[in-house]
Amino acid sequence: MSKKDLGLLILILVVGAVVTAINPRFLLPINLANTSNLIGLFGILSIGQAFVIITGGIELSVGSLVALLGTLFIDFIAVREVDWPLAFVLIIVLGAIIGFVHGWLITRLKLQPFVVTLCGLLIYRGVARFYTADGTAGFAFGQNFPDLEFLTAGRSYGVPNSFIALIVIAIVTWVVLHRSVFGRYLYAIGKNEEAAKYSGIRTGRIVIAAYVICGVLTALSAIYFAMYTRSISPASHGQFYELYAIAAAVLGGFSLRGGEGSLVGVILGTVLLQELQNLVNLLGIPSSLNFAVMGGVILIGVLVDQQWGVFRARRRMMEATRQNVAGAPAE
């Protein structure tokens, strides 16, 4: 665990202690279980965003994708009576295809990630609203899928299965990001894409793969959100979820410039965000201030990241100066 991660963990514990002192209901099992469920839902989304951010890109369409893919999933199993395992696979594949298209537009046509994903944000939500005729996608009365509901919205020994899924995904992606050649390539591209290209890395394929991973995890998250809410209004479902994902990644130490960050930090960032949301609810702060809190958190995270980078650069310069002075021959 890096110093950044340790500092974030301490902050989480301090905030939790303060909230508990003000309102002891924070530690009630039901509240902890509900918070853990939300951490699982948003954590999966945030990990996907982190893979894109580490390359120096950004994915603004994840909220709209959650709405579109969630709507399609419910329609497949509730209306068109597609077997849920097949519908599950179809949604995951569709998420991968969308991620591939984003990556292809960015690497082959040299479009800016901000432009591509901003257009996706508008297109996917518009398609979702058109698909439902601006209605609501949901399950009929008495319609249920016990196995699917247990896997997505159920609990094992009191722990939400969404949180367990997050832990499994986090372990796998941690290995990919921190213990594989592919992960080292991602960091290299984020640090300096041109240098990575001249060193023999096929940067285009690596960036496309990052967007595919983001698309797959977004699709998985869309399924979990769909089963959690059991009803989707495409006009509002998943709105601003991209901010939660970006904020979690930034708080976790992922630089928006790319090339920095740890997966542990993303999980801790997600925990802190949901803890703050829980704080807003328990302390009776108006819910209308939720986005104000989110914006403040993102701003603070970016400022801390920027100042930390300046501090490290100065420290490296001072160390290099001392080494040069120590190594200089005496007259």
Side-chain angles (χ1 to χ4, degrees), residues 156-177:
S156 299
Y157 303 102
V159 180
N161 287 335
S162 60
F163 185 78
I164 295 174
L166 170 63
I167 298 302
V168 173
I169 292 170
I171 292 172
V172 173
T173 51
W174 182 88
V175 173
V176 171
L177 195 58

Side-chain angles (χ1 to χ4, degrees), residues 36-190:
S36 298
N37 183 46
L38 291 174
I39 289 172
L41 296 175
F42 285 102
I44 296 172
L45 202 63
S46 300
I47 291 174
Q49 184 74 243
F51 269 85
V52 170
I53 289 178
I54 202 169
T55 65
I58 197 165
E59 176 55 88
L60 298 177
S61 66
V62 293
S64 296
L65 271 178
V66 166
L68 174 60
L69 298 179
T71 297
L72 291 175
F73 183 72
I74 289 181
D75 183 67
F76 286 167
I77 65 175
V79 179
R80 304 183 187 279
E81 299 183 350
V82 177
D83 290 338
W84 74 260
L86 176 59
F88 192 101
V89 172
L90 289 174
I91 295 300
I92 296 297
V93 170
L94 184 56
I97 292 172
I98 291 173
F100 176 85
V101 171
H102 287 186
W104 184 83
L105 290 172
I106 291 166
T107 58
R108 302 303 183 201
L109 299 188
K110 306 302 180 182
L111 299 179
Q112 291 294 324
F114 181 89
V115 174
V116 172
T117 57
L118 178 61
C119 292
L121 179 151
L122 300 172
I123 292 170
Y124 303 138
R125 191 168 298 279
V127 171
R129 295 180 64 176
F130 175 79
Y131 190 83
T132 61
D134 246 344
T136 301
F139 296 99
F141 179 76
Q143 195 174 29
N144 59 75
F145 304 87
D147 293 338
L148 176 62
E149 290 168 3
F150 172 75
L151 289 173
T152 55
R155 296 179 182 178
S156 299
Y157 303 102
V159 180
N161 287 335
S162 60
F163 185 78
I164 295 174
L166 170 63
I167 298 302
V168 173
I169 292 170
I171 292 172
V172 173
T173 51
W174 182 88
V175 173
V176 171
L177 195 58
H178 299 292
R179 290 293 183 271
S180 72
V181 175
F182 174 74
R184 290 196 292 272
Y185 287 172
L186 286 173
Y187 280 101
I189 292 171

Side-chain angles (χ1 to χ4, degrees), residues 244-315:
Y244 286 86
I246 294 170
V250 170
L251 286 174
F254 277 82
S255 171
L256 293 176
R257 296 183 298 272
E260 296 179 16
S262 73
L263 204 68
V264 173
V266 178
I267 305 302
L268 293 176
T270 304
V271 172
L272 179 59
L273 285 177
Q274 293 309 314
E275 188 179 50
L276 291 173
Q277 291 293 315
N278 200 234
L279 178 149
V280 169
N281 295 331
L282 290 177
L283 299 187
I285 299 173
S287 59
S288 56
L289 289 175
N290 277 353
F291 290 123
V293 172
M294 189 67 56
V297 167
I298 295 175
L299 178 61
I300 292 172
V302 173
L303 287 174
V304 170
D305 172 69
Q306 184 183 39
Q307 294 306 311
W308 178 255
V310 172
F311 170 76
R312 287 196 306 169
R314 287 178 178 174
R315 188 174 63 179

